[in-house]
Amino acid sequence: MSQTSPTLQLIERAELIKQGAEARVYKLPVYFPEPSIRWPSKLRKLAEETPQASSSTQSSSPTPLLLKHRFPKTYRHPHLDSLLTRQRIQSESRSLLRCLKAGITVPLLRMVDVEAGMVGMEWIDGWSVREVLGGGAEGEEADPELEDEGEVDEEKARRRKEAEGALASLGITIEQLMTSIGKTLSTLHLAQIIHGDLTTSNMMLRPAPTRSAGYEIVLIDFGLSSHSNVPENLAVDLYVLERAFASTHPTSERWYQGVLDAYAKGLGEKKWALVGGRLDEVRLRGRKRDMIG
Amino acid sequence: MESYHLSHFPVDHSSVHLAFFKNVTNSADLRKRLVAAATMEGEEGDRERDLLDYAFVEANMIVDREQLLTAIYSALQAASSGSLKTKTLHSEVLLSLHPSATPQINEALRKFGISATTKNLILVRIGPPSSCSTTSTSTSSPPSSDEDAKAEHEQKLVDAMSDLVEGEMTSLSQLRESDVDWKGLKKLYKLNEMNLPSNAPSTETEKDMLAAVITSTIATKTVAG
């Protein structure tokens, strides 16, 4: 695909926010620009006489878009590369769609361009649970090169402060947050979706004034997700999160128990007996089942 | 009428114009004209086709702007990569709205196109930002700026739309509050498997959930199946 593909041109207007081995993630400030609004001439004359006619001109405010670009991998054969890219886009968007249907809040999809390797999805305006719990933004310490100016530092500090104050401003406790996460994960697993990379960076806290709780948990990054109902797979999914909690939030053991309690409750006694038992096994042996090679 | 200018698409279809009409009374007539125009010959035929050069969308099957714009975007994308499945961008928009990965064009037109009983209608026009942007020799007036040409073109277009459709032009923000056919949408987009209590969503949260699935289904159609 040539550089002139309209989808790829979007990248030029977007800000790189995450560079991975598989994909780059961008924030596109405006997907559809603010439209210009016009009324028929005959109505306009009417509108001048009756002022209330012009009050209905409200339009959509431009919303940002998250672009996930699975860029071409030159170390692969081009055919294999485009095949893999297609499969991964397919699997990720299917999982997201399945989540939406199961009532799990995930970014909704706005655009898929397989040839360009691009998926455009809803920008989630919130904070990652990692930030909220004081773990900083992902890769903050690891990537000193990205921090070039003092201005950026200030912006980061501001965001960090905002994220750490998020719970207070939303009027929720850490325990409530943990309960919500556990409940969300049980819904996910009851829908037979395995996230594959559950970390506190891949869970967002978003203010949601229309919800009774005032917020919602949004799961993101379904790049490693799969479809399964086997206790082993559910347990490994949880175990990954457990390790992530332990390493990013060293004092979090008590918090994480809250996640598990809510998860167990959401899953139901019968199913939890299977998954919980399996989780104990996984803890002893680690994430990988086979220890070959 | 709302006009979106998408400069990253080829100039010939870089502008998208949408107008939502409520309480339309001449749908049957419009439909008849559309059918007739397709086979009309000579100059008269060209003029009629030009007058009717829109996608006529059944608004009861549209829940919000995002749904429609997402379908429009995939039609534009198909045009840019040379993979249009229908003859025109306008019919491609109707096709894109259909959830099936390989829909029959007739079926898409029947679900999303204008019918004789259409009460709420959306006109979509995809075209260049202004009619005379390529040459300035046609008129004697001094060459106006691009913005002026755009504004003039948009005003002409919105007037033409309101001459064509007998109904009340309304903001697209009103879509949700109008007579959305939730039952039909749920069946078509296979939303009945969702754990929602009733046929018609009662709360905004429920509507949001359904709208999210509908938009996402349209966006991911090319990788579905």
Side-chain angles (χ1 to χ4, degrees):
Chain A
M1 203 66 210
S2 68
Q3 270 296 321
T4 51
S5 149
T7 307
L8 289 176
Q9 282 183 48
L10 290 175
I11 291 181
E12 290 160 25
R13 309 176 189 180
E15 178 198 351
L16 180 69
I17 54 168
K18 195 178 160 191
Q19 161 85 60
E22 174 63 25
R24 293 187 194 101
V25 176
Y26 300 85
K27 178 181 186 178
L28 181 67
V30 178
Y31 183 32
F32 277 93
E34 181 110 45
S36 52
I37 301 204
R38 288 183 204 285
W39 295 98
S41 311
K42 51 186 180 191
L43 260 184
R44 261 201 336 201
K45 277 171 207 132
L46 203 91
E48 277 156 25
E49 286 159 29
T50 49
Q52 111 266 7
S54 55
S55 66
S56 61
T57 52
Q58 63 188 63
S59 73
S60 62
S61 54
T63 44
L65 192 71
L66 181 139
L67 293 173
K68 185 165 183 177
H69 185 211
R70 294 177 184 273
F71 49 86
K73 316 295 181 300
T74 48
Y75 51 83
R76 273 185 210 140
H77 189 280
H79 284 170
L80 177 66
D81 187 41
S82 62
L83 189 74
L84 285 173
T85 300
R86 169 177 270 277
Q87 280 175 356
R88 285 175 185 168
I89 289 180
Q90 207 161 31
S91 125
E92 182 172 12
S93 35
R94 270 185 202 160
S95 292
L96 286 169
L97 202 56
R98 185 174 284 136
C99 283
L100 288 169
K101 286 192 177 180
I104 299 153
T105 315
V106 296
L108 68 94
L109 291 145
R110 291 301 307 272
M111 178 251 285
V112 174
D113 186 334
V114 174
E115 275 164 70
M118 190 86 81
V119 176
M121 50 188 119
E122 180 190 9
W123 178 262
I124 304 297
D125 218 355
W127 311 274
S128 72
V129 170
R130 174 175 174 151
E131 290 172 286
V132 171
L133 295 180
E138 196 185 10
E140 209 165 56
E141 289 93 319
D143 240 346
E145 279 167 43
L146 279 175
E147 292 177 41
D148 31 16
E149 300 298 319
E151 213 176 293
V152 179
D153 280 347
E154 246 172 62
E155 165 65 22
K156 271 192 179 153
R158 193 192 58 76
R159 188 178 160 83
R160 193 168 177 150
K161 213 173 149 195
E162 190 188 85
E164 286 168 18
L167 289 178
S169 70
L170 287 167
I172 47 177
T173 62
I174 287 187
E175 286 72 25
Q176 281 169 322
L177 178 67
M178 295 303 121
T179 304
S180 301
I181 293 172
K183 211 172 147 198
T184 304
L185 295 183
S186 69
T187 320
L188 182 80
H189 283 174
L190 283 175
Q192 311 190 357
I193 305 159
I194 306 296
H195 183 280
D197 189 18
L198 286 176
T199 61
T200 46
S201 308
N202 285 339
M203 297 170 186
M204 309 268 301
L205 172 66
R206 174 166 72 176
T210 57
R211 301 226 170 203
S212 53
Y215 69 98
E216 55 194 354
I217 301 293
V218 189
L219 298 178
I220 58 167
D221 195 355
F222 281 73
L224 294 170
S225 63
S226 54
H227 184 201
S228 168
N229 196 24
V230 183
E232 161 76 17
N233 295 343
L234 308 195
V236 170
D237 217 21
L238 283 180
Y239 179 71
V240 169
L241 180 64
E242 194 168 306
R243 301 302 305 159
F245 254 95
S247 62
T248 357
H249 314 284
T251 55
S252 66
E253 210 169 306
R254 194 170 45 88
W255 299 343
Y256 183 72
Q257 192 53 46
V259 174
L260 273 189
D261 291 345
Y263 175 87
K265 201 175 152 206
L267 213 56
E269 210 173 306
K270 222 170 163 186
K271 196 151 188 199
W272 168 246
L274 292 170
V275 178
R278 185 57 84 150
L279 183 59
D280 291 335
E281 284 175 41
V282 176
R283 279 190 188 123
L284 290 175
R285 61 147 221 257
R287 170 168 76 83
K288 300 270 193 227
R289 185 177 212 166
D290 306 309
M291 300 297 260
I292 305 164
Chain B
M1 183 185 77
E2 297 183 359
S3 302
Y4 296 84
H5 299 284
L6 309 169
S7 55
H8 54 296
F9 283 106
V11 68
D12 268 351
H13 43 250
S14 64
S15 291
V16 174
H17 311 276
L18 311 175
F20 174 35
F21 292 88
K22 282 211 297 206
N23 303 322
V24 177
T25 52
N26 65 335
S27 292
D29 179 49
L30 283 172
R31 215 191 111 79
K32 227 178 274 167
R33 276 177 72 183
L34 269 169
V35 174
T39 53
M40 211 183 272
E41 285 172 17
E43 231 175 84
E44 200 191 345
D46 287 340
R47 210 178 315 121
E48 182 72 354
R49 276 189 289 279
D50 204 43
L51 276 176
L52 296 168
D53 191 13
Y54 303 99
F56 290 79
V57 184
E58 168 61 61
N60 289 359
M61 293 295 278
I62 305 296
V63 294
D64 55 19
R65 275 189 197 83
E66 279 65 39
Q67 180 192 3
L68 188 57
L69 289 174
T70 301
I72 290 170
Y73 200 94
S74 33
L76 287 171
Q77 223 170 269
S80 305
S81 64
S83 54
L84 281 182
K85 294 189 192 82
T86 60
K87 278 187 197 159
T88 70
L89 255 173
H90 290 147
S91 47
E92 194 79 10
V93 170
L94 296 173
L95 194 75
S96 298
L97 282 166
H98 198 284
S100 162
T102 51
Q104 299 286 312
I105 290 159
N106 278 343
E107 156 80 3
L109 287 178
R110 213 177 58 233
K111 294 277 188 216
F112 292 97
I114 187 173
S115 75
T117 55
T118 294
K119 282 271 172 291
N120 300 319
L121 178 69
I122 302 174
L123 292 196
V124 180
R125 162 75 70 95
I126 302 173
S130 61
S131 46
C132 53
S133 58
T134 42
T135 52
S136 54
T137 50
S138 52
T139 51
S140 55
S141 59
S144 53
S145 74
D146 271 5
E147 285 307 310
D148 288 346
K150 259 190 211 171
E152 200 188 313
H153 176 64
E154 284 167 14
Q155 194 59 51
K156 266 189 198 157
L157 196 60
V158 71
D159 285 336
M161 285 180 175
S162 81
D163 285 344
L164 192 64
V165 181
E166 287 163 21
E168 304 158 28
M169 197 184 285
T170 313
S171 163
L172 277 97
S173 307
Q174 305 290 311
L175 273 168
R176 281 256 192 119
E177 280 75 54
S178 62
D179 320 313
V180 174
D181 179 11
W182 290 105
K183 203 178 163 191
L185 285 167
K186 283 176 93 170
K187 193 172 165 214
L188 186 64
Y189 287 96
K190 300 198 171 66
L191 308 178
N192 288 321
E193 61 198 73
M194 290 174 72
N195 282 327
L196 291 175
S198 59
N199 252 333
S202 48
T203 65
E204 280 307 302
T205 312
E206 270 179 49
K207 288 182 184 175
D208 284 344
M209 281 169 67
L210 290 172
V213 179
I214 290 171
T215 296
S216 303
T217 304
I218 295 171
T220 53
K221 236 175 77 170
T222 50
V223 289

